[in-house]
Amino acid sequence: MKGLWHALRRAWQIIARPSAHLSLGFLTIGGFVAGVMFWGGFNTAMEATNTEAFCTSCHEMENNVFEEMKTTVHFANSSGVRATCPDCHVPHEWTDKIARKMQASKEVWGTIFGTINTRDKFLDKRRELAEHEWARLKANDSLECRNCHSAESMDITQQQPRAARVHQAFLFTGERTCIDCHKGIAHQLPDMTGVPPGWDEATLGQRTGSGAAATPATAPAGQ
């Protein structure tokens, strides 16, 4: 321990000692250039990990959830606008993105130890993995959904009557958030036994005066 402390003190003395040969201006400019290079490299590496190609580079994602997403409206639709993996699973704001990246670093261990490296393992863990993501989106008020879907810009006159009623009663009032009702929007649902519905038509009917039978909130995959 004493030797380590001595080595640290020695290193600090070397760093803190004024340069005998280089000017302050040179050191300042050199430090600035080095900082720019470090920041550029860091940001480039982070953005490289924020692409669909990177997300699907491991077979666990490519052969499971990515194949499921290909059958949904987020992958192919009449408008030609397609959401990619990071659009739904990585925040757009830089500080939130960094926090998410740090959280997702645990997935590296899952890859190393083969947590879901087979289809059977993936299916066994699907409910747990889904609940983690539902909880994250619930906590941030479905931030990634709202990056593309704005309640302020939503024209409910072009929606199906049931969707319009639900959005008016729950989304616009802030009582519920997107993930409460759209858990199966891009991937197949796990076993939903014991998961309470985000809303039901019986409650909605009482509020809007349109009596309807109770209906589960979770939309089937691709809807």
Side-chain angles (χ1 to χ4, degrees), residues 148-211:
C148 295
H149 302 280
S150 167
E152 291 76 14
S153 302
M154 192 176 289
D155 184 359
I156 62 173
T157 64
Q158 298 187 38
Q159 298 177 352
Q160 294 295 323
R162 187 183 71 169
R165 293 197 307 271
V166 170
H167 287 148
Q168 282 183 304
F170 296 106
L171 181 64
F172 295 169
T173 61
E175 183 175 334
R176 300 291 170 87
T177 187
C178 310
I179 196 61
D180 286 321
C181 299
H182 294 288
K183 289 182 173 68
I185 194 65
H187 304 295
Q188 294 177 14
L189 291 169
D191 178 6
M192 299 298 285
T193 303
V195 177
W199 50 269
D200 64 73
E201 285 284 341
T203 302
L204 183 63
Q206 294 172 8
R207 296 190 183 188
T208 62
S210 56

Side-chain angles (χ1 to χ4, degrees), residues 101-119:
K101 292 291 185 181
M102 292 176 64
Q103 181 188 45
S105 63
K106 295 185 296 184
E107 295 167 10
V108 175
W109 292 105
T111 299
I112 293 174
F113 292 104
T115 305
I116 54 171
N117 60 352
T118 68
R119 178 66 178 174

Side-chain angles (χ1 to χ4, degrees), residues 21-33:
H21 305 287
L22 301 176
S23 68
L24 178 61
F26 179 85
L27 292 174
T28 301
I29 294 174
F32 176 78
V33 172

